[in-house]
Amino acid sequence: MSSVLAIGLMSGTSQDGVDVALIDTDGERIAQFGATACRPYTPVERTLLRGATAAAANLTERTARPGLIAKAEQLVNDAHAEAVETFLIANDLKPANLAAVGFHGQTLLHRPERGLTVQIGDGHALAARLGIPVVYDFRAADVAAGGQGAPLAPIFHRALVRQLNRKPPIAVLNLGGVANITYIDGDTLIACDTGPGNALLDDFLRLHTGHPLDTDGRKAAAGTVDEGMIARLLQHPFFAAAPPKSLDRNDFRGFVGDALDGVGTENGAATLTALTAAAVAAIVPHLPRPPASWIVAGGGARNPTLMRMLAERLAPAPIESAHEAGWSIDSLEAQAFAFLAVRSLRGLPITFPGTTGVPRPLTGGVLARP
Ligand SMILES: Nc1ncnc2c1ncn2[C@@H]1O[C@H](COP(=O)(O)OP(=O)(O)O)[C@@H](O)[C@H]1O
Ligand SMILES: [Mg+2]
């Protein structure tokens, strides 16, 4: 099969922005990484996305778009279209150069146990505006077939790992709003969400400082971790369950509840950062062997306090950032959706029994032609 150019678009549960990435791939190997970009959401846009996420909590129908959710979907489409239009100009690309755009959309609700996962973003409208075929709605077929619908990047991680020299088993950890791991050992591919990523921490910081993240982990570095609280939070039944398993962005919000009220910004940030690290370490007993190499991507890899806590809790296994492995910290997920779009065009499977619990390898994504 010949290699083609595809753009991937990811707007994760951190709701920080739209990541854009170009890759050259046949859906099996990555011939070349191309340019990357990010189109951040403005504070006003983030408020709308948060409102729509809250409004989506009670949805029972994945295609329903009441009130705020319709407004948020229009924002998501406009932000993604702008992101691609700017990217094409900046990189001297024409729509005709691209085989596909992989459009994840914005998850508002993820309830696979109810057969429900809701991503907003209208692939047909995006394809019409861009004049490029768009592959979207990547999670639906998997959930309809009984899978978790997440994570979706594992088959991309495996392709990357095959082109990298690291000691197996290799764990690729993505620290987005939710954290997820891909475990690769030869042909063995296992994946799941591990627990909270940055979302709880971001929400806590916004509430206590008005700023939406703990920049460079500075608040957490100045605080003290409440290990008793970590031990209590690790009693959540999610951590006792074997993979595959996945989470909604807000699953732990109620469980943490008011436990951090009054502890102070630094201590609260330290404890939530440690919770993310401890939750990652808690997956290791569920894996066939402890990973010998850890590669960490996603915005959380830019948080040195989180990286230090991870290194402590995963020791003696070495951890390195995606950047150190020659990959992208910020664009790995966007690259994954470019790769998945090409796999979808070619009818190749994107989810597997080991990654989502789907009964057999399954393709996914819906093609919208311009
Ligand atoms: N310099 C930084 N210091 C601390 N945290 C950071 C930094 N840069 C990014 N992050 C974290 O990463 C998040 C974005 O990560 P991202 O991989 O885009 O997640 P998602 O896929 O959920 O959108 C931010 O919300 C923030 O929590
Ligand atoms: Mg993001």
Side-chain angles (χ1 to χ4, degrees), residues 180-272:
N180 57 275
I181 186 181
T182 304
Y183 172 93
I184 301 151
D185 193 4
D187 283 334
T188 303
L189 184 63
I190 298 171
C192 64
D193 287 344
T194 58
N198 308 303
L200 288 181
L201 178 64
D202 285 352
D203 292 349
F204 181 83
L205 265 287
R206 186 183 317 99
L207 191 66
H208 291 266
T209 68
H211 190 63
L213 73 160
D214 183 13
T215 306
D216 300 337
R218 271 181 255 155
K219 297 279 186 224
T224 304
V225 175
D226 182 339
E227 289 292 346
M229 194 181 303
I230 301 285
R232 185 179 69 73
L233 292 170
L234 290 180
Q235 297 302 308
H236 190 289
F238 178 80
F239 298 110
K245 52 181 175 175
S246 65
L247 286 170
D248 183 79
R249 173 192 200 287
N250 289 333
D251 273 338
F252 283 88
R253 190 201 275 260
F255 194 64
V256 173
D258 56 9
L260 294 169
D261 284 4
V263 305
T265 305
E266 284 80 5
N267 292 339
T271 299
L272 287 175

Side-chain angles (χ1 to χ4, degrees), residues 12-14 16 19 175-177 198 202 213-216 298-300 302-303:
T13 51
S14 298
D16 57 319
D19 296 311
L175 297 172
N198 308 303
D202 285 352
L213 73 160
D214 183 13
T215 306
D216 300 337
R302 298 209 171 273
N303 179 334

Side-chain angles (χ1 to χ4, degrees), residues 9-319:
L9 299 172
M10 183 64 196
S11 179
T13 51
S14 298
Q15 304 182 342
D16 57 319
V18 179
D19 296 311
V20 188
L22 177 72
I23 66 169
D24 183 343
T25 182
D26 60 3
E28 299 194 89
R29 289 181 53 83
I30 297 93
Q32 210 174 344
F33 293 121
T36 63
C38 177
R39 188 274 190 205
Y41 290 121
T42 65
V44 171
E45 291 171 345
R46 291 177 76 146
T47 303
L48 173 56
L49 291 177
R50 266 204 314 285
T53 307
N58 300 318
L59 281 185
T60 51
E61 200 27 78
R62 69 188 307 270
T63 53
R65 298 288 183 266
L68 262 192
I69 298 178
K71 230 179 132 191
E73 183 161 59
Q74 189 59 53
L75 156 66
V76 164
N77 265 71
D78 289 342
H80 283 73
E82 273 168 31
V84 176
E85 285 161 358
T86 307
F87 187 84
L88 294 180
I89 293 167
N91 296 290
D92 207 13
L93 289 162
K94 301 271 171 289
N97 301 136
L98 294 153
V101 167
F103 178 30
H104 173 268
Q106 175 67 51
T107 296
L108 293 186
L109 184 69
H110 185 64
R111 293 276 168 243
E113 71 284 1
R114 284 199 257 135
L116 187 64
T117 186
V118 180
Q119 285 75 40
I120 52 170
D122 179 340
H124 290 276
L126 188 66
R129 176 157 163 189
L130 296 175
I132 306 171
V134 169
V135 181
Y136 71 108
D137 212 4
F138 287 90
R139 303 191 191 269
D142 185 80
V143 170
Q148 292 285 311
L152 293 181
I155 187 66
F156 176 64
H157 295 157
R158 188 170 74 182
L160 286 179
V161 159
R162 284 187 171 160
Q163 296 175 240
L164 185 78
N165 184 21
R166 288 294 182 283
K167 189 171 177 219
I170 297 165
V172 180
L173 179 65
N174 175 53
L175 297 172
V178 170
N180 57 275
I181 186 181
T182 304
Y183 172 93
I184 301 151
D185 193 4
D187 283 334
T188 303
L189 184 63
I190 298 171
C192 64
D193 287 344
T194 58
N198 308 303
L200 288 181
L201 178 64
D202 285 352
D203 292 349
F204 181 83
L205 265 287
R206 186 183 317 99
L207 191 66
H208 291 266
T209 68
H211 190 63
L213 73 160
D214 183 13
T215 306
D216 300 337
R218 271 181 255 155
K219 297 279 186 224
T224 304
V225 175
D226 182 339
E227 289 292 346
M229 194 181 303
I230 301 285
R232 185 179 69 73
L233 292 170
L234 290 180
Q235 297 302 308
H236 190 289
F238 178 80
F239 298 110
K245 52 181 175 175
S246 65
L247 286 170
D248 183 79
R249 173 192 200 287
N250 289 333
D251 273 338
F252 283 88
R253 190 201 275 260
F255 194 64
V256 173
D258 56 9
L260 294 169
D261 284 4
V263 305
T265 305
E266 284 80 5
N267 292 339
T271 299
L272 287 175
T273 305
L275 174 62
T276 294
V280 172
I283 199 65
V284 174
H286 291 298
L287 300 172
R289 293 197 285 154
S293 313
W294 288 81
I295 302 172
V296 187
R302 298 209 171 273
N303 179 334
T305 309
L306 177 53
M307 289 296 276
R308 174 174 58 73
M309 289 178 177
L310 267 175
E312 286 166 7
R313 290 179 196 256
L314 297 173
I319 76 165

